[in-house]
């Protein structure tokens, strides 16, 4: 049954809306031809800095709450890194819809020593198995500036939220086949498009973003070095590294082509620090040897930050399937020098919490509630129309 809508000043509102939607068919050909990345400051690695510890626990407010709970489980060890993902379904969600990031922004601003890491898709429909031919066309459109405005809007919203120093993990795992923002169909266009995005986001006053180039470990569909977009538009060289074949042992993960050692060497050659935005257990099962060796590798090479993916099958705290690895993780990271006294009784060492698996974000736009004194609806407007309207969300109030 269609939802009955209540309009105030219907005639004026409808007329304005028709004009706006009518304008949506006009094409926007005003993309800037500014060369990407010029004038960017290259940050030198900080080898003596302690690695900032965090975890991916959930993309929304529940993830913020679980940060304190995981810290208590680790005997008060400080979690300095909050990690979330922007949904990759629609452009309006990649832009960071108002309210979506508010809880993480508040958490970040509560302590100047904290860091907020945000995985950011480069294209919408990011997990819909888009064909290589279509991906190639989208990458080329992005390289010509067709999608710049989406990323300027994201940058503006992050600055307004008070998190202008967010670490942007842009187009992660680009060397694979999972995501629409993959590099393989056209590496040249992919690199040009990355440059456009970074330039657009850095054009926003007040921004202090750092951009993390984070392939998956190994060669995958294409050598990740072929996707590297340039030192002037990359601040950190990350890697997503899960315990899975073809590497059977941790030594193989280190030494395989485009593996962990290649990341360290490549970053040193380019004067960049490293990071591990995603890592954890996977197809090799509950593997305490992997867990010990990975944490030792992190301690040895001092990445800027590391955030384990903490849900099944990867995790150690929210996943009860990996008790031996969980014990290693807890023993090696509990009570670190910056630990604080837990504010609540610690968790049972033999168990893990019953928190639900945190899904990566796929929010939907709620239907208007006609019982409220007003409602909002998202309109399918073009970027041209949004410049006049100010947003795609139209609200009507009594």
């Amino acid at each position: 049954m269609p939802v009955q809508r209540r309009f105030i000043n219907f005639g004026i509102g409808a007329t304005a809306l028709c004009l706006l939607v009518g304008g949506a068919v006009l094409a926007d050909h005003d993309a800037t031809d500014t060369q990407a990345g010029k004038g960017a400051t290259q940050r030198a690695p900080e080898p003596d800095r302690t690695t900032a510890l965090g975890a991916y626990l959930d993309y929304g407010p529940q993830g913020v709450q679980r940060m304190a709970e995981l810290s208590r489980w680790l005997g008060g060890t400080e979690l300095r890194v909050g990690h979330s993902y922007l949904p990759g379904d629609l452009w309006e969600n990649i832009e960071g819809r108002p309210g979506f990031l508010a809880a993480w922004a508040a958490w970040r601003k509560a302590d100047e020593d904290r860091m907020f890491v945000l995985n950011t898709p480069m294209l919408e429909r990011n997990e819909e198995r888009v064909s290589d031919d279509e991906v190639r066309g989208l990458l080329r459109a992005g390289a010509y500036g067709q999608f710049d405005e989406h990323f300027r809007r994201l940058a503006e919203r992050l600055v307004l939220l008070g998190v202008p120093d967010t670490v942007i993990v842009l187009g992660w795992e680009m060397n694979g086949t999972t995501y629409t923002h993959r590099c393989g169909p056209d590496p040249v266009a992919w690199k040009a498009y990355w440059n456009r995005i970074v330039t657009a986001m850095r054009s926003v006053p007040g921004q202090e973003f750092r951009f993390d180039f984070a392939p998956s470990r190994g060669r995958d569909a294409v050598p990740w070095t072929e996707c590297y977009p340039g030192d002037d538009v990359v601040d950190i060289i990350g890697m997503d590294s899960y315990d899975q074949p073809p590497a059977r042992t941790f030594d193989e993960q280190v030494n395989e082509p485009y593996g962990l050692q290649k990341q360290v060497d490549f970053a040193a050659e380019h004067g960049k620090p490293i990071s591990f935005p995603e890592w954890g257990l996977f197809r090799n099962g509950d593997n305490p040897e992997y867990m010990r060796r990975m944490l030792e590798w992190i301690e040895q090479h001092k990445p800027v930050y590391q955030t384990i993916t903490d849900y099944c099958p990867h995790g150690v705290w929210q996943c009860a399937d990996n008790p031996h690895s969980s014990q290693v993780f807890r023993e090696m990271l509990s009570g670190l020098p910056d630990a604080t006294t837990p504010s609540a009784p610690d968790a049972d060492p033999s168990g893990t919490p019953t928190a639900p698996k945190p899904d990566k974000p796929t929010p939907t736009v709620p239907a208007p509630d006609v019982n409220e004194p007003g409602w909002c609806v998202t309109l399918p407007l073009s970027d041209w129309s949004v410049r006049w309207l100010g947003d795609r969300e139209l609200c009507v109030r009594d």
Side-chain angles (χ1 to χ4, degrees), residues 25-202:
V25 301
L26 298 178
D28 180 10
H29 299 293
D30 296 331
T32 179
D33 292 325
T34 303
Q35 188 173 1
K38 296 303 180 184
T41 301
Q42 180 171 318
R43 294 174 172 87
E46 301 177 69
D48 296 329
R49 182 174 174 84
T50 302
T51 297
L53 170 64
Y56 174 70
L57 302 172
D58 189 83
Y59 65 87
Q62 283 188 323
V64 177
Q65 176 185 345
R66 293 171 189 169
M67 292 286 283
E69 296 169 8
L70 177 55
S71 178
R72 287 194 293 271
W73 185 74
L74 291 172
T77 293
E78 181 183 14
L79 300 183
R80 291 175 43 218
V81 188
H83 189 181
S84 187
Y85 292 73
L86 287 172
D89 53 350
L90 301 171
W91 278 120
E92 65 189 73
N93 290 325
I94 296 174
E95 293 172 358
R97 287 176 59 82
F100 181 76
L101 297 172
W104 282 115
W107 175 87
R108 163 65 185 91
K109 291 185 290 184
D111 189 330
E112 64 180 11
D113 201 36
R114 288 175 175 172
M115 179 187 305
F116 180 46
V117 174
L118 183 63
N119 277 51
T120 302
M122 294 170 69
L123 292 167
E124 66 176 352
R125 298 185 297 137
N126 199 37
E127 297 186 44
E128 295 188 14
R129 301 295 180 184
V130 176
S131 71
D132 282 354
D133 285 344
E134 187 173 357
V135 168
R136 191 175 298 111
L138 290 168
L139 293 176
R140 292 174 181 177
Y144 281 107
Q146 184 171 328
F147 309 128
D148 287 4
E149 188 60 31
H150 300 300
F151 294 96
R152 272 193 288 269
R153 175 163 294 211
L154 170 62
E156 290 166 354
R157 286 175 171 167
L158 290 170
V159 171
L160 285 173
L161 282 168
V163 285
D165 55 353
T166 297
V167 175
I168 305 293
V169 186
L170 183 64
W172 69 99
E173 299 181 11
M174 77 299 295
N175 55 324
T177 60
T178 300
Y179 299 114
T180 304
H181 65 214
R182 59 190 182 271
C183 169
D186 193 335
V188 173
W190 193 92
K191 291 184 284 188
Y193 181 30
W194 172 292
N195 274 260
R196 295 289 309 211
I197 294 171
V198 172
T199 298
M201 294 189 70
R202 284 179 173 165

Side-chain angles (χ1 to χ4, degrees), residues 313-330:
H314 312 301
V316 293
W317 179 60
Q318 295 186 114
C319 181
D321 295 346
N322 303 309
H324 302 295
S325 300
S326 176
Q327 182 178 357
V328 171
F329 184 90
R330 195 179 193 198

Side-chain angles (χ1 to χ4, degrees), residues 3-6 366-376 396-397:
V3 178
Q4 184 178 5
R5 295 175 173 85
R6 293 178 290 121
D369 184 352
V370 298
N371 295 317
E372 294 296 325
W375 55 267
C376 300
V396 179
R397 306 292 181 193

